[in-house]
Amino acid sequence: MHTRRHLLLTGMAASLLAACSTMSTSSERPPIVFMHGNGDSAALWQTTIWRFESNGWPRDRLFALDQPLPLARDTDTVAQPGRTSTAESMAFLQAEVDRVLKATGASKVILLGNSRGGNTIRNYVQNGDGAGKVSHVVLGGNPAHGIWAVKGFNEQSEFSGLSSFVQQLNAPKGTNGDEITPGVRWLTLRSDSNDKYAQPDGVWIGTPGKPTNIGYDSPALKGATNVVLPRADHRETSFSPAAFAATWQFLTGSAPATTTATPEARIVLDGRLTGFGLSSTDPASGQFTNNLALSGAQLAVYAVDPATGARLGGAVHRKTVAADGRWGPFTAQPGTPYEFEIAAPGYATTHIYRSPFPRSSNIVNLRPDRILPADSDAKAIVIFTRPRGYFDAERDAMRFDGQSALPGVPPKGSGMSSSKIKLASDTQRAITGEFNGERVTGLTWPATQGHMALLELTY
């Protein structure tokens, strides 16, 4: 692996990032296209977009994408139902960039990618027609040199450092051996040692104690500006305040005025309601994420008491989801937490509880869940989830239903983004999840009647 220059995110790093930027600080901002990672959706960019808006980037210049089939194939060269190859993912991004350029009249876009989204971006810029349509690229937690590089271990996966896909992406470009496509400005953001997909040990790929032949610096690229975000987990390399600050500095040459979402007086929410695909080999347990509309699903939104999760009256919004998957628009009240109740054939009636929304968003994506066979003995099921990061028992202050040790979360490392509690009683009661100051309270619901609850963190 090439030696790659790294910057710790300090004052010196900020100065160097400023020197790297050539973008005007005028109000004419180019469009930004956000590409999510493996199995994810546009919704993960919600807080990042709020931060851009809060610093003056126009809302109509920010485009977060939903790739319909976001999961990579197990082997890139072998077709697999419900999954996409690197070529298919690149074709999706190519069409979306062309759509954004046409809609905005801009000559170039900025691309931000998390994890697998970085593979798609690099492929598009290097092997598609992206080099002439992209000015800047920011990659967070991109497995640029693979997640593993082990002989005989799924070598043609998109995430293998030995795959022909990764090898050609990293082939030296020019006499200095750069791994980046010239003519575009590149920033990579990585953790120091806390990214589950950039680990020397195979614990997170199912081979604990065995070497992956990958280092902590796998996301860095020779020729790019490479910044290290201390203690960041895999998703925080894109979605954290520190990641936003480094990105803004790189793009504009100055520090952002704020890394928080400044509140709006009028909040309008919308998004897409999607489901899970089922494995053809084991439909009972093999489900996989997709971003396909769950047409016909019924959604009801309720304002709830922040302390108890109890509904404050009847539904404030109802909709039957159509073929486009949109469940809004819905005008929310500032400072009010909400419950999103989803009913759809083949799914549990899912009650999603969220903390108050500070700003409008059109990527509040929702997804009902299923009660898995392993949970069929539970009287009530509650999942506490953090979509934009992971739970770290050594780093974070967190509690779930009064427990500081979250079920399923290991005592060391940032590798789990959700925790599940199975209750032995179906008596309805309040249940709370807390994470570094954010608190979400909902109600338990009887699993025996086909219900489950989800407490979803925003930050």
Side-chain angles (χ1 to χ4, degrees):
M1 187 181 297
H2 293 295
T3 300
R4 295 178 291 280
R5 181 171 62 98
H6 303 102
L7 304 177
L8 196 66
L9 193 57
T10 61
M12 179 181 295
S15 298
L16 288 168
L17 283 171
C20 290
S21 175
T22 59
M23 187 175 297
S24 167
T25 58
S26 72
S27 59
E28 279 297 316
R29 300 294 193 189
I32 302 177
V33 176
F34 300 85
M35 187 72 193
H36 59 70
N38 195 45
D40 291 331
S41 80
L44 270 66
W45 296 104
Q46 182 184 86
T47 54
T48 303
I49 287 175
W50 283 344
R51 294 179 182 115
F52 271 103
E53 293 172 353
S54 297
N55 283 275
W57 211 286
R59 179 171 289 162
D60 63 1
R61 309 287 275 188
L62 302 168
F63 300 85
L65 307 181
D66 268 327
Q67 185 172 4
L69 301 176
L71 280 169
R73 294 174 175 177
D74 289 335
T75 300
D76 189 43
T77 54
V78 179
Q80 192 173 6
R83 295 173 180 253
T84 46
S85 67
T86 54
E88 290 166 336
S89 191
M90 180 182 75
F92 167 78
L93 178 60
Q94 183 176 39
E96 290 297 304
V97 168
D98 287 346
R99 180 182 64 82
V100 168
L101 291 174
K102 182 177 180 180
T104 62
S107 59
K108 291 188 176 183
V109 301
I110 296 165
L111 295 180
L112 268 61
N114 172 252
S115 192
R116 186 200 185 197
N119 286 357
T120 302
I121 288 171
R122 292 187 68 202
N123 197 17
Y124 166 59
V125 173
Q126 181 170 317
N127 300 313
D129 59 355
K133 298 177 181 179
V134 177
S135 62
H136 297 67
V137 168
V138 180
L139 307 177
N142 173 227
H145 296 87
I147 295 171
W148 65 84
V150 180
K151 287 281 189 182
F153 184 79
N154 203 0
E155 291 183 33
Q156 288 307 313
S157 164
E158 175 179 337
F159 303 119
S160 169
L162 302 180
S163 68
S164 54
F165 172 73
V166 170
Q167 291 287 313
Q168 62 89 19
L169 280 185
N170 294 333
K173 299 158 186 65
T175 56
N176 56 0
D178 282 354
E179 297 170 308
I180 57 170
T181 302
V184 176
R185 294 186 174 271
W186 296 80
L187 170 67
T188 77
L189 302 172
R190 74 165 179 90
S191 177
D192 47 2
S193 60
N194 207 29
D195 184 335
K196 67 183 289 185
Y197 296 124
Q199 294 291 323
D201 184 271
V203 60
W204 295 113
I205 62 169
T207 58
K210 295 184 178 181
T212 62
N213 301 319
I214 295 296
Y216 298 129
D217 65 345
S218 175
L221 291 168
K222 186 174 183 181
T225 299
N226 298 297
V227 170
V228 178
L229 304 177
R231 297 295 293 163
D233 64 46
H234 179 65
R235 289 178 177 170
E236 288 172 343
T237 58
S238 287
F239 309 124
S240 65
F244 170 75
T247 299
W248 184 273
Q249 187 89 40
F250 176 72
L251 296 179
T252 70
S254 60
T258 181
T259 58
T260 62
T262 58
E264 288 184 306
R266 184 173 184 271
I267 300 170
V268 179
L269 305 176
D270 199 355
R272 300 180 67 249
L273 203 157
T274 62
F276 288 97
L278 287 174
S279 168
S280 59
T281 57
D282 185 9
S285 60
Q287 60 179 12
F288 55 89
T289 55
N290 62 43
N291 292 317
L292 303 176
L294 195 57
S295 180
Q298 302 283 328
L299 175 75
V301 183
Y302 299 87
V304 299
D305 185 302
T308 67
R311 294 173 178 175
L312 302 176
V316 292
H317 177 72
R318 288 186 182 273
K319 187 166 184 179
T320 299
V321 175
D324 63 359
R326 307 304 297 186
W327 63 261
F330 161 62
T331 301
Q333 295 301 310
T336 300
Y338 289 96
E339 171 200 344
F340 299 83
E341 180 190 63
I342 306 167
Y347 294 85
T349 299
T350 305
H351 305 263
I352 302 174
Y353 295 88
R354 294 282 300 266
S355 53
F357 291 82
R359 299 182 63 84
S360 297
S361 176
N362 66 356
I363 52 171
V364 184
N365 289 356
L366 304 171
R367 178 181 280 129
D369 214 330
R370 293 188 175 97
I371 298 176
L372 300 178
D375 299 330
S376 60
D377 59 335
K379 297 294 185 181
I381 301 166
V382 183
I383 296 173
F384 182 32
T385 183
R386 186 180 178 226
R388 295 164 190 87
Y390 293 84
F391 294 123
D392 189 327
E394 295 182 305
R395 180 193 65 180
D396 301 318
M398 53 192 184
R399 297 181 73 83
F400 184 16
D401 201 27
Q403 303 177 49
S404 57
L406 273 59
V409 174
K412 182 177 181 179
S414 292
M416 298 298 294
S417 62
S418 66
S419 175
K420 180 192 295 181
I421 286 179
K422 298 194 294 182
L423 301 172
S425 171
D426 58 6
T427 301
Q428 192 169 58
R429 64 173 177 85
I431 187 165
T432 299
E434 301 171 80
F435 179 83
N436 291 345
E438 184 179 359
R439 178 185 175 98
V440 183
T441 298
L443 292 176
T444 64
W445 292 83
T448 52
Q449 297 177 30
H451 293 255
M452 62 189 302
L454 190 149
L455 310 179
E456 181 177 324
L457 292 162
T458 297
Y459 300 100

